[in-house]
Structures are given as structure tokens and as C-alpha cells.
Amino acid sequence: MHRAPPLRSLHLDSVDSTNLEALRRFAEEPSRPLLVSAGTQSAGRGRQGRAWQSPVGGLWMSLAWPLSRPQAHYAAAGLAAGLAAAEALEAMTGLALQIKWPNDLLAGGRKLAGLLGELHVAPLPLLVLGIGVNANFRPEALGPGLLFPPTTLLEQLGRPVDLAALREALGAALAAGLAAFDVQGLAPLLPRLERRLPWRGRLIRFTGPGGSVTGTLLGLDPAGRLAVEVEGRVEHYASGDLSGVRAEQA
Ligand code: BTN
């Protein structure tokens, strides 16, 4: 296990977005990674410019991580962080978690958590890695119209979790995961990531910047891109969303 540098951490009752707050506060002490969490967010941010609902009872947290390698090294950092989070959450709760590429953690086929990595060049080269875990509330507390059906720890476990303990364990796991990723990159993580992919060997619909395609999910390539067989050719996708397709829908 790689040792993470000592973290500075900060918990707020409420903030616009912990990703934004971590970016604003990081420069106060730029030599140390900074963990910012909040009880609720008024402008939580999701992937692809989407909004992220953040009711009280969830775990909303961001880690500002100074880059020690060239920026290109961090293209797949979100995958490494997602794996670290999945393994830590699984150890804490006993739930079996899948990773819906690139950054969604699923429990029972529903979305339990999402991660958002944002790279910045100023004030210093920095990765802000945010994670939102639907924890101590019912899925109905999230409004309708979500891209993927949600679940929560309360629903999965039938009891509330200790949010402070979860925050501490997940923060430590993310920092250790990123410290290892700084040194080793993605290669040693690929088998563990692929084992957690839903729909491997099955039909999926992929929607990316170039539109939607249906194909067979093969796995990940060494860069962490999604490898999909589409009409006899292997395509590699770096960003987008996927969902499973039932054979009769194809
Ligand atoms: C997604 O699945 O679209 C990613 C969601 C990431 C949400 C977290 S909550 C903490 C941090 N602050 C934000 O504004 N977003 C991330």
C-alpha cells in the first residue's frame, strides 16, 4: 500500500459544490492534499455538465490532489479513484459493488455513488476528485428524471450508516488510491476494474460525443478506455455513458 501524504480536511454544513470549494481553498496550503466535505450542496456538479442532487444524509466530498506527474498521466485517475472507493465501501458495508464505466458505483444494479474528476492547471496543477455517495436517505428523496435509477446505502442495508466514519474511511482510501496511481498508473488496477464492469461480454448502448452505438462490451484497454465491438470492429471510447441492452431491444 502506498502512503498518502498527510491530508488537510474540512467539513462544512453546506456549500455550493465541494469540488468548487476544494479548488478555492487548496491554494491556502498548496503542499498538502485537501479533503472537503459538506452536509449538503446547493449546486452539486455531475459528469458531462449535469447537476448532482445532494440532500442531507449523503456523503458529498472532494479531494484536491496536487499533480506530481504530467497532466496526461491523470486521464484515467477517475477509474483508479472509483476502484479505491468501491473496494473501501465494499469492505465497510459488505455490499457487492460494480463499476459502471467510467465512474458510477452500482449496488443491486442501481447507482449508489458517482465520481467527478476535474483537472486544473492553475493555481497549481491539480486534480479535484469529487465523490457523491447516496447514503442515509431514501432514493425517493432524489427527484425524477435521473439518467440511471438510483439506490442508497439506507435502502441497500436497511439501516443508516455512520457518515463521519464513512467520510474518514473513504477519504483515506481515495488518498491511498491516488498515491499509488501517481507511482504505478492504471496497469496493476485493470484486472480488478474489469472484474467489476457490468455487462461485460453483453450488448450495451454507448452514447458519446459522436452519437450512440450498440455493441458488445469487451472490457477496458490499457488506457482505461472502453473497448466495444461494433459491427465486427473494436472501438475505443474515452468519454460517454453506457447502459445495458436487452437482446430483444437490439
Ligand atoms: C456523476 O455521477 O455524474 C458524478 C457525480 C459527482 C458528485 C460529487 S458530490 C461531491 C462532489 N461535488 C460536486 O459538485 N460533485 C461531486
Side-chain angles (χ1 to χ4, degrees):
M1 156 102 72
H2 287 262
R3 284 178 72 85
L7 292 181
R8 183 162 74 98
S9 60
L10 179 73
H11 181 74
L12 304 164
D13 287 342
S14 160
V15 73
D16 50 357
S17 154
T18 55
N19 267 33
L20 292 175
E21 187 68 8
L23 179 63
R24 290 189 289 257
R25 298 262 191 144
F26 174 73
E28 292 166 2
E29 211 178 317
S31 60
R32 282 208 283 166
L34 169 66
L35 192 65
V36 176
S37 55
T40 179
Q41 300 183 115
S42 56
R45 293 142 64 96
R47 286 179 57 243
Q48 315 269 4
R50 292 188 279 259
W52 179 262
Q53 296 182 53
S54 319
V56 171
L59 178 70
W60 321 123
M61 179 169 92
S62 301
L63 179 59
W65 189 258
L67 305 190
S68 58
R69 305 282 300 272
Q71 186 150 345
H73 178 83
Y74 293 89
L79 287 174
L83 179 64
E87 291 179 344
L89 266 172
E90 200 165 273
M92 275 181 281
T93 62
L95 294 171
L97 299 184
Q98 291 183 303
I99 299 178
K100 183 167 85 69
W101 185 93
N103 284 145
D104 291 350
L105 307 190
L106 307 187
R110 290 167 177 263
K111 182 160 169 173
L112 179 70
L115 288 94
L116 173 68
E118 297 180 298
L119 281 167
H120 300 275
V121 287
L124 285 171
L126 185 67
L127 168 68
V128 179
L129 197 286
I131 181 167
V133 183
N134 299 330
N136 292 341
F137 56 84
R138 301 228 159 258
E140 303 79 61
L142 302 169
L146 294 177
L147 200 61
F148 200 79
T151 188
T152 69
L153 287 175
L154 181 64
E155 180 181 59
Q156 293 291 321
L157 299 171
R159 60 170 169 82
V161 294
D162 178 341
L163 272 187
L166 191 66
R167 186 163 55 230
E168 193 169 325
L170 262 188
L174 288 177
L178 288 179
F181 178 81
D182 274 349
V183 179
Q184 299 175 334
L186 199 61
L189 309 179
L190 283 169
R192 275 146 64 201
L193 276 164
E194 284 199 313
R195 273 202 297 279
R196 288 181 186 269
L197 290 182
W199 310 303
R200 205 162 158 219
R202 309 236 312 263
L203 271 186
I204 56 146
R205 173 148 302 120
F206 177 81
T207 305
S212 287
V213 293
T214 299
T216 303
L217 175 58
L218 300 177
L220 301 177
D221 71 11
R225 292 174 306 178
L226 201 66
V228 184
E229 188 182 316
V230 183
E231 293 171 2
R233 285 206 324 270
V234 180
E235 304 283 359
H236 300 260
Y237 299 113
S239 72
D241 287 293
L242 77 154
S243 54
V245 175
R246 286 200 302 272
E248 65 271 19
Q249 296 175 307

